[in-house]
Amino acid sequence: MELILAKQAGFCFGVKRATQMAFEAADKGGETYTLGPIIHSPQVVARLEEMGVKAIKDVDGVDQGTVIIRSHGVAAGELESVISRCLEVVDATCPFVKKAQEHVASLSAAGYDVVVVGDADHPEVQGIVSYATGKVYVVASGEEAERLPRMAKIGVVAQTTQSFENLKNVVTACLGKGGEIRVYHTICDATAVRQEEAKRLAGQVDCMIVIGGYNSANTKRLAEVCKELLPRTHHIEIAGQLDASWFDGVEKVGITAGASTPKWLIDEVIDRVREIDGEKR
Ligand code: SF4
């Protein structure tokens, strides 16, 4: 079988950086915590746990040690409570997410009502919203933005994983809502680039393997877009889940992975697919 690995598979810049920071903090030893799972990869979280890093919901009851802030950031109040407890902070918030948080704070300070384009339930959005000191609304689409009240000054910021199309739709709707609009393009293209490449690959192969946490939204989306084009698409977390029968009659296999999937898991899957290929000969 020919095996093709997507060029942009696995860790994006922000996740790579956060994971490195977490492993470096773990190496130093001492009590180390992450506020929520550091990234959406149960295997990375488990490896950190083996090194003594615990994922906690909040810092209540924690009075010493180091707290690592995850790549998608936390709410301003949570960060303050870590700092007020004099705990050491390793802020692994992705710089792109940090920028969105800063824009919200500065828009609020300048008297703008803020519109955040994104999923209100997502922790990244909840973190971004928490930096507003004035009025703030979260809208998922242009249709939702049509229902916003009129505002004198509107500031628009997007969740980093939103599509550019959706941001444009919301901005268009906001044009009819106020006299002055300031828009910040806070979208990161890591997710879109992975999806476009996965689609291209799914069109060239007989079977697609998508690797990543079942709790990772971007991996689930990758698997969905591939499955739409190629029903023989399988979403797995680890190599042990590969089934030899998936490769019956297959000549070309495509492999991709979500932005929170570490390289070691991708390598294990590649090795196992090669092994299965050898067994079939
Ligand atoms: S997807 Fe983009 S914004 Fe999110 S962590 Fe990765 S690089 Fe940062």
Side-chain angles (χ1 to χ4, degrees), residues 12-15 71-72 94-97 124 160-161 188-191 259:
C12 61
F13 154 76
V15 167
S71 55
H72 281 168
C94 175
F96 297 135
V97 176
E124 179 194 326
T160 55
T161 46
C188 150
D189 65 2
T191 316

Side-chain angles (χ1 to χ4, degrees), residues 135-272:
K135 279 196 182 143
V136 57
Y137 305 89
V138 179
V139 293
S141 62
E143 292 85 73
E144 273 188 41
E146 292 289 355
R147 297 196 285 274
L148 288 169
R150 284 197 65 78
M151 295 169 260
K153 289 163 63 164
I154 308 174
V156 183
V157 168
Q159 181 181 0
T160 55
T161 46
Q162 286 291 300
S163 72
F164 186 61
E165 200 54 36
N166 203 33
L167 172 61
K168 273 203 303 196
N169 292 342
V170 170
V171 170
T172 305
C174 286
L175 283 171
K177 298 289 172 185
E180 185 189 331
I181 300 187
R182 190 182 288 185
V183 182
Y184 285 107
H185 182 343
T186 48
I187 295 170
C188 150
D189 65 2
T191 316
V193 165
R194 272 161 188 69
Q195 281 176 20
E196 281 315 307
E197 218 195 310
K199 274 197 237 173
R200 238 195 333 268
L201 193 51
Q204 293 170 18
V205 297
D206 312 304
C207 172
M208 251 336 256
I209 304 296
V210 182
I211 317 159
Y214 294 136
N215 60 344
S216 155
N218 81 80
T219 309
K220 280 196 276 186
R221 186 73 198 123
L222 262 188
E224 278 164 17
V225 298
C226 290
K227 213 171 180 90
E228 279 164 20
L229 290 162
L230 183 66
R232 288 181 85 167
T233 294
H234 305 277
H235 176 180
I236 58 167
E237 284 194 346
I238 54 169
Q241 292 165 329
L242 288 168
D243 185 328
S245 69
W246 295 345
F247 305 99
D248 288 346
V250 167
E251 284 178 11
K252 283 187 185 175
V253 185
I255 296 184
T256 189
S260 46
T261 308
K263 188 173 175 302
W264 90 74
L265 288 178
I266 302 173
D267 290 343
E268 282 173 10
V269 170
I270 292 173
D271 289 348
R272 181 65 194 129

Side-chain angles (χ1 to χ4, degrees), residues 10-216:
F11 279 0
C12 61
F13 154 76
V15 167
K16 191 173 181 183
R17 178 176 170 273
T19 311
Q20 264 167 5
M21 288 167 89
F23 280 106
E24 276 164 21
D27 276 341
K28 283 192 189 147
E31 284 183 39
T32 312
Y33 306 93
T34 61
L35 262 184
I38 184 86
I39 59 170
H40 286 143
S41 166
Q43 291 72 29
V44 170
V45 172
R47 199 167 263 200
L48 282 166
E49 247 169 40
E50 284 164 18
M51 294 173 76
V53 180
K54 296 187 197 92
I56 50 173
K57 282 205 182 99
D58 52 52
V59 287
D60 290 351
V62 177
D63 42 29
Q64 59 175 333
T66 303
V67 177
I68 307 162
I69 307 297
R70 63 182 174 224
S71 55
H72 281 168
V74 292
E78 284 179 272
L79 191 55
E80 273 160 27
S81 95
V82 176
I83 294 165
S84 70
R85 281 174 171 272
C86 298
L87 298 165
E88 202 182 315
V89 183
V90 173
D91 191 354
T93 308
C94 175
F96 297 135
V97 176
K98 198 107 202 148
K99 229 19 268 129
Q101 294 172 344
E102 286 166 4
H103 286 320
V104 168
S106 70
L107 284 166
S108 270
Y112 288 81
D113 290 348
V114 178
V115 174
V116 179
V117 187
D119 168 5
D121 295 327
H122 194 286
E124 179 194 326
V125 173
Q126 289 164 350
I128 291 172
V129 161
S130 71
Y131 283 81
T133 47
K135 279 196 182 143
V136 57
Y137 305 89
V138 179
V139 293
S141 62
E143 292 85 73
E144 273 188 41
E146 292 289 355
R147 297 196 285 274
L148 288 169
R150 284 197 65 78
M151 295 169 260
K153 289 163 63 164
I154 308 174
V156 183
V157 168
Q159 181 181 0
T160 55
T161 46
Q162 286 291 300
S163 72
F164 186 61
E165 200 54 36
N166 203 33
L167 172 61
K168 273 203 303 196
N169 292 342
V170 170
V171 170
T172 305
C174 286
L175 283 171
K177 298 289 172 185
E180 185 189 331
I181 300 187
R182 190 182 288 185
V183 182
Y184 285 107
H185 182 343
T186 48
I187 295 170
C188 150
D189 65 2
T191 316
V193 165
R194 272 161 188 69
Q195 281 176 20
E196 281 315 307
E197 218 195 310
K199 274 197 237 173
R200 238 195 333 268
L201 193 51
Q204 293 170 18
V205 297
D206 312 304
C207 172
M208 251 336 256
I209 304 296
V210 182
I211 317 159
Y214 294 136
N215 60 344
S216 155

